[in-house]
Amino acid sequence: MKKITIIGAGLGGLTAGALLAKDGYKVTILEQHTMVGGCATTFNRKGGFVCEVGLHEMDGVYSNKNIVKIFKRLGVYENVEFVKADEFFEVETKNGVFKMPDGVSEAQKALIEKFPREGKGIRKYFKLIEKIAKSLEELQSASWYHFSFFPFLFWDIVIYKPKSVREVLNKLIEDEELKLILNSNIQYYNDSPDTLSFLLHAVAQYSYYHGGGFFIKGGSGQLSDYLAKVITDNNGKIITKAEVVKCSENSVEYDRKKEKYRVESDIVISNLSPEQTYKLYEVLYQEKKVLGDALLTIYLGFSKNIKEVYGKRAYSNFIFNELASVDDLNSMIQKDILERSFVFVDYSQLDSGLIDNKTKSFGSICMIDSLRYWDKLDENKYKEKKEKLIETTLEKLDKAYPNISKLVEYVEVGTAKTVKRYIKTHNGTAYGFKPTPKQFFRVPKVKSDRVKNLYFVGQWVIAGGFSPSILSGGLCYRALIK
């Protein structure tokens, strides 16, 4: 059976590795970090806090047929518990608070009640994102015959591929606040609706409305660790602290604890970017695609259970109280990181499994970030700016949750610089290539056209996020077993 070496233990590499190991392939994963998972991990801090690195909520857990197929094949549902959020999100704009319900009909109804004059546009919007989401799902299993008739069978994809979210919404809706609300969670995909592909917006948002959002109980590391266990239980190897330094057609070389090693490989699967990967092969390559943005996270450990203090609130809370339109959002993005709006995720609102001590709770604040805000600061300036960010952000959070800053027992900031240090991505991006109309919805680049027996997985194949990374692993597996 073929020997497969996977570079990087992100969700894409772990998924592909688990599927291949179960089929009897000899799988070896080389991970430069001390643990597997990439951004799908947790870390512990004093006070009993288990901090979630990346996951707020995952879509498609039970509704995406390709994810379901992968999870059933690997026994994920029997070994990893998924906890459903009660609502999609809540957003506070300059004009008030709106809670976006779970479910397509429920969300549509709530929006029409708030914006009765936009009823026609709201109905068209939900009908459109459903149509596009279903077309993209159908396209994944289309045969070559269907591709011959692509413009006729998938005309909606052809029409909307070159369009941004802003372009489409401007033709459906007039109210500027409504456009902002429909893009409340924009930072999970991109920085602005002006540059986000409407196709990605449609398929991702519909997936959340239709199937709901889920948190992995105990933290996203539970899924990563389980996939790693599937690999080792099926005679695979996972080697951490392994820095890959060179690749060839039949081997991979890596350094570990100041020692050099070489592993024979028939096939290499890379969780790295194409640029980083081809550099290992000494193949000339210049990336032409624009990279996605980075995310900043402020990890918060509270001395009390926030749900008991403030009652039943939303799980994901977008604090946009200085914004009333997409134009306001775009203006805010141009400002310094200290002036950003953000999402506050209150893990006490569901059975997260992050805190054993029921009297305490964990939360996180997340916002769009860029390496340019941090990479030129010396150590002292870097620390000072992070402390100032904590101060200004908690002041804003206090307005939505009075005196919540006084309950903070532990606080830590992870910047774009932090992400770059831990997962080694260019610019600290966790989302791969920027999902613009020009760059999103391309044929997934699973197999290399430059190096024989080289394959790709992870955020660089479909898009960033948990679901796309898992799906990339499935695509790679199917390409290999053919």
Side-chain angles (χ1 to χ4, degrees):
M1 188 59 77
K2 290 183 178 179
K3 300 174 183 177
I4 297 177
T5 301
I6 300 176
I7 305 172
L11 283 179
L14 289 171
T15 301
L19 290 167
L20 290 163
K22 279 188 73 72
D23 273 13
Y25 289 86
K26 188 176 181 181
V27 174
T28 300
I29 293 188
L30 303 175
E31 168 56 43
Q32 55 84 27
H33 196 15
T34 58
M35 62 181 75
V36 301
C39 285
T41 54
T42 58
F43 60 91
N44 300 328
R45 286 295 181 263
K46 186 178 179 180
F49 299 109
V50 178
C51 305
E52 170 58 50
V53 170
L55 182 63
H56 297 164
E57 51 188 347
M58 177 182 166
D59 70 304
V61 173
Y62 297 100
S63 57
N64 185 302
K65 66 180 183 181
N66 291 305
I67 290 177
V68 170
K69 188 175 181 180
I70 291 169
F71 280 3
K72 284 185 175 180
R73 172 82 176 92
L74 298 176
V76 171
Y77 295 122
E78 292 78 29
N79 293 277
V80 179
E81 186 175 349
F82 296 91
V83 184
K84 191 173 183 295
D86 291 335
E87 67 288 307
F88 191 177
F89 59 78
E90 182 173 289
V91 56
E92 181 181 355
T93 71
K94 189 182 287 186
N95 300 324
V97 176
F98 176 77
K99 183 176 287 188
M100 185 71 79
D102 204 9
V104 174
S105 60
E106 291 83 358
Q108 184 172 280
K109 180 181 177 182
L111 286 167
I112 292 174
E113 286 179 358
K114 183 171 177 62
F115 302 97
R117 294 183 180 180
E118 296 285 359
K120 184 177 180 181
I122 291 169
R123 292 187 188 93
K124 282 186 176 180
Y125 166 79
F126 278 96
K127 186 176 181 180
L128 180 58
I129 63 172
E130 179 179 5
K131 175 74 171 99
I132 288 175
K134 289 183 176 179
S135 291
L136 287 171
E137 184 178 3
E138 183 181 347
L139 189 58
Q140 290 180 28
S141 56
S143 66
W144 68 267
Y145 175 81
H146 290 102
F147 277 100
S148 302
F149 294 93
F150 179 84
F152 305 101
L153 296 175
F154 302 102
W155 58 268
D156 49 336
I157 296 178
V158 175
I159 290 173
Y160 289 100
K161 184 190 181 308
K163 297 187 182 298
S164 70
V165 176
R166 183 74 172 270
E167 285 180 89
V168 177
L169 290 185
N170 281 348
K171 296 202 173 191
L172 295 175
I173 292 164
E174 292 185 6
D175 192 286
E176 293 300 320
E177 185 189 12
L178 174 54
K179 294 175 190 175
L180 177 65
I181 288 173
L182 291 172
N183 285 282
S184 294
N185 62 335
I186 180 74
Q187 66 185 28
Y188 292 166
Y189 316 124
N190 194 33
D191 57 352
S192 169
D194 289 8
T195 57
L196 177 62
S197 161
F198 184 73
L199 292 184
L200 175 59
H201 171 92
V203 70
Q205 296 294 82
Y206 180 75
S207 182
Y208 279 114
Y209 286 122
H210 172 63
F214 293 82
F215 183 69
I216 298 168
K217 188 171 181 179
S220 57
Q222 298 292 319
L223 175 60
S224 300
D225 290 344
Y226 174 70
L227 294 175
K229 185 176 184 299
V230 172
I231 294 169
T232 55
D233 284 351
N234 287 274
N235 302 312
K237 289 183 180 179
I238 296 177
I239 304 172
T240 58
K241 302 179 184 178
E243 188 79 36
V244 176
V245 294
K246 187 177 180 180
C247 296
S248 65
E249 191 173 299
N250 55 14
S251 69
V252 176
E253 297 177 24
Y254 66 95
D255 294 341
R256 187 173 191 270
K257 296 182 179 180
K258 298 182 180 181
E259 296 287 336
K260 296 187 180 297
Y261 299 88
R262 184 171 179 269
V263 56
E264 299 293 330
S265 304
D266 299 308
I267 293 166
V268 173
I269 299 172
S270 178
N271 220 135
L272 310 180
S273 72
E275 185 175 353
Q276 292 170 308
T277 304
Y278 287 126
K279 188 176 181 180
L280 294 172
Y281 280 92
E282 298 181 346
V283 171
L284 291 176
Y285 179 85
Q286 185 174 5
E287 187 57 72
K288 296 179 181 179
K289 299 185 182 73
V290 179
L291 296 180
D293 297 288
L295 287 175
L296 178 145
T297 303
I298 302 176
Y299 304 101
L300 299 166
F302 297 104
S303 60
K304 293 186 178 181
N305 186 304
I306 297 302
K307 185 176 181 180
E308 292 181 0
V309 176
Y310 297 97
K312 182 70 178 77
R313 301 279 294 264
Y315 170 62
S316 295
N317 307 269
F318 291 88
I319 311 299
F320 287 177
N321 49 22
E322 297 176 356
L323 311 179
S325 67
V326 172
D327 285 336
D328 290 345
L329 176 67
N330 290 336
S331 296
M332 180 268 294
I333 291 296
Q334 301 305 315
K335 297 178 182 178
D336 188 76
I337 191 73
L338 297 175
E339 301 180 65
R340 289 291 164 87
S341 296
F342 55 86
V343 57
F344 170 59
V345 182
D346 178 6
Y347 291 92
S348 73
Q349 295 293 332
L350 45 71
D351 186 16
S352 69
L354 294 177
I355 301 290
D356 288 334
N357 186 341
K358 299 300 181 181
T359 63
K360 295 184 178 182
S361 58
F362 173 73
S364 66
I365 288 172
C366 190
M367 62 186 77
I368 287 287
D369 194 15
S370 173
L371 197 59
R372 69 178 184 272
Y373 297 124
W374 310 99
D375 62 348
K376 294 181 180 179
L377 301 177
D378 62 31
E379 187 175 344
N380 288 332
K381 293 292 184 183
Y382 182 60
K383 183 178 179 181
E384 288 173 8
K385 189 162 187 174
K386 289 199 293 184
E387 289 175 350
K388 183 64 176 176
L389 178 64
I390 291 170
E391 179 186 340
T392 58
T393 306
L394 288 180
E395 285 177 1
K396 295 175 185 177
L397 188 62
D398 272 339
K399 294 178 182 179
Y401 294 78
N403 299 315
I404 195 172
S405 59
K406 294 181 180 179
L407 302 178
V408 175
E409 179 180 323
Y410 149 79
V411 60
E412 186 173 348
V413 180
T415 68
K417 192 173 180 179
T418 310
V419 176
K420 184 179 180 182
R421 183 169 75 250
Y422 280 106
I423 66 172
K424 309 293 187 185
T425 57
H426 292 301
N427 293 348
T429 180
Y431 286 160
F433 300 120
K434 197 174 182 71
T436 62
K438 184 178 180 180
Q439 294 191 163
F440 181 69
F441 187 63
R442 59 195 187 282
V443 176
K445 191 84 172 200
V446 175
K447 191 176 189 313
S448 170
D449 55 8
R450 293 168 179 253
V451 176
K452 183 181 178 182
N453 292 340
L454 170 63
Y455 293 77
F456 290 100
V457 291
Q459 59 180 317
W460 312 97
V461 175
I462 302 172
F466 279 56
S467 299
S469 292
I470 291 166
L471 290 170
S472 76
L475 286 174
C476 181
Y477 165 73
R478 292 199 296 275
L480 275 168
I481 63 174
K482 284 181 179 179

